[in-house]
Amino acid sequence: MTSSVDPWDEVWDAYEARRAATATAAASLTPTPSRRPARPGRWQGWLKPLLAGVAFSLGCAAGSAWPVLNLYGLVLRQDVPALLRQLDLAPARDGLREELRAHARLHGPATGGAERLLAGMAEDMAAALARPGGLEQLLQAGAPPLRLAEWGGTAVELA
């Protein structure tokens, strides 16, 4: 089966036909100029930045409120182990130590043997309570209920 037509000519003709069809389709999609020039609306320039600012503000508010709502949900569900895992008592170590020293009626530096023993116990107890899981162990050991916070008619007790 021989033909007098060169195969490359057929390929080239098909390519040119596709190219012409694409150019015709692209030309038909271009809009015709209107009689009146388009004027941007008064608020069109401000709308995108305004919406972006609102979306950013909502994201910040939701991000800030999420930890508080999470803790509130744990308190309402009375999920004490999960709540204790969320609490970070390390910054409260010094305050715990001072409260324990005040409870033992230690004011100022410990001078006698009993005062040094009580001051050391206060230090050790504050360190044990401030480490992760320390408060949970205290409650599991059968300590009386611990009132963490009270506002209005609501009190948060761990027991």
Side-chain angles (χ1 to χ4, degrees):
M1 209 165 134
T2 61
S3 76
S4 62
V5 180
D6 187 20
W8 288 109
D9 288 337
E10 290 178 8
V11 171
W12 187 254
D13 291 339
Y15 169 74
E16 286 180 340
R18 283 193 311 268
R19 189 169 176 212
T22 306
T24 305
S28 68
L29 293 177
T30 57
T32 58
S34 63
R35 294 183 182 159
R36 230 177 5 170
R39 234 178 74 199
R42 181 177 175 186
W43 298 100
Q44 191 174 11
W46 290 93
L47 187 61
K48 286 182 183 178
L50 179 67
L51 289 176
V54 168
F56 179 75
S57 299
L58 288 174
C60 288
S64 299
W66 182 253
V68 174
L69 293 174
N70 187 25
L71 285 177
Y72 187 67
L74 291 174
V75 168
L76 289 179
R77 286 191 308 258
Q78 297 178 355
D79 190 358
V80 174
L83 181 63
L84 291 175
R85 283 191 299 270
Q86 296 291 324
L87 295 177
D88 182 21
L89 295 177
R93 182 178 177 172
D94 293 335
L96 285 169
R97 183 184 60 239
E98 293 307 315
E99 286 297 320
L100 289 169
R101 287 177 57 89
H103 183 71
R105 294 187 179 98
L106 294 175
H107 304 288
T111 54
E115 289 179 351
R116 284 196 311 262
L117 174 69
L118 289 174
M121 286 176 63
E123 178 69 34
D124 292 344
M125 289 174 67
L129 285 172
R131 70 175 171 70
L135 191 57
E136 184 177 4
Q137 286 180 345
L138 176 72
L139 293 174
Q140 287 175 351
L146 178 64
R147 184 167 287 208
L148 291 180
E150 184 174 349
W151 62 92
T154 306
V156 178
E157 288 186 358
L158 297 177

